[in-house]
Amino acid sequence: MQLTIFKRLTLGYCAFALLLIGLGVYVVVQLNRLNRLTWAVVRQDGETVRLAEALDSMAIALARFEKKHLVTEDIAFFNRFQEIRTRFLESHMAMQYHVDSDALQEILETIGTHSYAYFALIDREREIMEGDGGRQADIYHDRKADLLDQIRLSLQTIIGQARQARDQKILLSSHISVNVIRISIITIGIGGLIGLFISFINARRINRSLHRLQAKTHDVANGHFSTLPPTESPPEIAALTRDFNGMCERLQELNDMKEDFIYHVSHELRTPLTAIREASSMLLEGCFSGRPDHQNQLLTIVKGECERLIKSINRMLDLSRMEAQMMDYAFTTITILPLVRACILKLAPIAVAKNVVLELTPTDTLPNVRADQDRLYQLMENLLGNALKYTGAGGGVHIALQPDADDTGFLRVEITDTGCGIPQNALTTIFDKFRRIDSGQDTERGTGLGLSIAKHIVMAHGGKIWATSQPGNGSVFCFTLPVV
């Protein structure tokens, strides 16, 4: 199935949009992951390192102030020791909220156990000193030093692991950032390639089709009306090609009609003009100067050919005015039967000369019609003249007038002949101007305007005209007129 240009572009843009949406989702997910890692580095590992280093510094400060107090027995040093002790315990408690691994939690519990044991020894030593009047100081020196060493060693372990975890997360963040940049560049590159590919394919197909149309348009401008062969192209270009081919066929048809018209008109004009020229020459040369009867015959020929020329030119002028909708019609209410009879009487000599029977079958009562009497007479004359022209000797032409069976608001006129008939493929074009059907008989050639004029007259009266035929079995021309 061929996709339209709009659908091709839409699908291309949708593919590009899906890539961008996928890229956007990927970037959002990775940025969220990066944000969590950053938060973990800052709020967990970084804070763990800071608190562990602070606890280590406080452990050193505790040992220093405890020593000073034992040596000097100055209560200020002990108070300072107590302040650091409080901060140490608070920091130890706060640190539990920033450690996220079970191993570090166990180390923190160990630090807590050692811290409480260390502070318990300090308290016991303080009680002993107060009971002995200040003697026996630093009796738990080794035990306290061992506890502080274990506390500091545990804190260094926490600091090392926290720093390692922080470094790993920072490295992972760097990898994520690099991957996001790489994927973004690849996706944008793929999207750009897809866009270029779709644009290239569409532009190539459109340009190739337009190139062919352009070349063929140049041929049409030079008078060559050949059609374009069907090729694979988008539906819009295919439709344009079909319309262009239709235009070429119509132009070829019009060109053929023009040539046919020129041939017929030249024949119509040349024959009477030749007769007029020859008769005039004979009169001027005095060929029959002593024979008035022959001179009258020549003058009669000149007059008849002049009337023939005038009639042909008037038909062409009438058709031109009808097509330009400049024809004047004098509509009046008339009875059609006398008009039809007058037309039959006028053409009766032609029927007698060709041994063709003319029959009229009207109904008992016919409604009046509103029509231009002269144009209606011209219509009947054209149709009866055509019927007589194509009907051979021994045939007949039948005229029937009756109200239309399908529409009571119209009067129907049928003219049936027993002539050669009309091919089925010509029934739709028989009413076009300059259109003549080759009947295979030796008939007088005309301009091909009679039926076209008849069609314009009927349409101007608000009726319809059509023809039916079977080749070899005659034709039926029908038209309707609105009744009053």
Side-chain angles (χ1 to χ4, degrees), residues 271-289 294-306:
T271 302
L273 286 175
T274 301
I276 293 171
R277 184 188 63 185
E278 295 300 326
S280 301
S281 298
M282 294 174 69
L283 288 171
L284 290 174
E285 292 171 359
C287 294
F288 301 103
S289 57
H294 285 73
Q295 289 181 347
N296 289 335
Q297 289 179 358
L298 290 176
L299 290 173
T300 301
I301 292 174
V302 170
K303 180 182 177 182
E305 295 301 324
C306 287

Side-chain angles (χ1 to χ4, degrees), residues 210-222:
L210 292 179
H211 230 6
R212 294 171 59 248
L213 283 174
Q214 182 183 14
K216 191 56 64 176
T217 303
H218 181 73
D219 292 342
V220 170
N222 291 330

Side-chain angles (χ1 to χ4, degrees), residues 343-361:
C343 186
I344 291 174
L345 288 175
K346 179 180 178 180
L347 299 176
I350 300 176
V352 172
K354 293 189 66 174
N355 191 24
V356 174
V357 178
L358 270 177
E359 294 180 335
L360 173 62
T361 307

Side-chain angles (χ1 to χ4, degrees), residues 394-415:
V397 176
H398 180 258
I399 303 99
L401 290 81
Q402 59 185 357
D404 190 7
D406 298 330
D407 191 343
T408 56
F410 288 85
L411 177 68
R412 178 168 175 164
V413 179
E414 291 185 359
I415 300 174

Side-chain angles (χ1 to χ4, degrees), residues 140-152:
Y140 300 113
H141 176 270
D142 294 337
R143 179 61 177 159
K144 290 186 295 181
D146 183 56
L147 289 172
L148 282 176
D149 290 339
Q150 292 183 23
I151 291 172
R152 291 195 63 197

Side-chain angles (χ1 to χ4, degrees), residues 138-350:
D138 202 12
I139 57 177
Y140 300 113
H141 176 270
D142 294 337
R143 179 61 177 159
K144 290 186 295 181
D146 183 56
L147 289 172
L148 282 176
D149 290 339
Q150 292 183 23
I151 291 172
R152 291 195 63 197
L153 182 61
S154 298
L155 288 172
Q156 291 301 322
T157 302
I158 292 176
I159 291 172
Q161 292 186 11
R163 285 177 176 173
Q164 183 179 5
R166 181 186 62 186
D167 294 341
Q168 289 177 351
K169 290 173 183 176
I170 291 174
L171 182 61
L172 180 59
S173 300
S174 177
H175 285 310
I176 292 174
S177 300
V178 171
N179 287 334
V180 168
I181 294 173
R182 184 185 298 114
I183 295 298
S184 299
I185 293 174
I186 292 174
T187 304
I188 293 173
I190 292 174
L193 291 176
I194 291 176
L196 288 175
F197 177 74
I198 294 174
S199 300
F200 173 76
I201 294 298
N202 288 329
R204 182 171 177 268
R205 290 197 174 186
I206 294 172
N207 186 60
R208 183 172 57 187
S209 301
L210 292 179
H211 230 6
R212 294 171 59 248
L213 283 174
Q214 182 183 14
K216 191 56 64 176
T217 303
H218 181 73
D219 292 342
V220 170
N222 291 330
H224 305 291
F225 305 117
S226 59
T227 58
L228 285 167
T231 57
E232 184 179 355
S233 59
E236 296 94 336
I237 303 298
L240 180 61
T241 302
R242 288 193 298 271
D243 293 340
F244 184 86
N245 287 339
M247 180 191 70
C248 288
E249 291 173 357
R250 183 58 178 165
L251 287 174
Q252 183 64 51
E253 184 179 348
L254 292 174
N255 188 62
D256 294 340
M257 291 170 62
K258 178 195 70 174
E259 293 177 355
D260 191 46
F261 167 72
I262 292 173
Y263 173 79
H264 294 316
V265 169
S266 63
H267 177 77
E268 284 283 311
L269 297 179
R270 182 177 59 190
T271 302
L273 286 175
T274 301
I276 293 171
R277 184 188 63 185
E278 295 300 326
S280 301
S281 298
M282 294 174 69
L283 288 171
L284 290 174
E285 292 171 359
C287 294
F288 301 103
S289 57
R291 303 179 65 178
D293 54 338
H294 285 73
Q295 289 181 347
N296 289 335
Q297 289 179 358
L298 290 176
L299 290 173
T300 301
I301 292 174
V302 170
K303 180 182 177 182
E305 295 301 324
C306 287
E307 290 178 351
R308 179 180 172 185
L309 279 174
I310 292 172
K311 183 179 180 181
S312 297
I313 292 172
N314 284 337
R315 288 164 71 91
M316 285 185 273
L317 290 175
D318 285 345
L319 181 60
S320 298
R321 293 174 63 191
M322 290 175 182
E323 288 182 335
Q325 298 182 353
M326 297 176 63
M327 177 64 73
D328 295 327
Y329 292 90
F331 291 100
T332 57
T333 302
I334 64 172
T335 302
I336 193 173
L337 187 57
L339 184 145
V340 174
R341 283 175 175 165
C343 186
I344 291 174
L345 288 175
K346 179 180 178 180
L347 299 176
I350 300 176

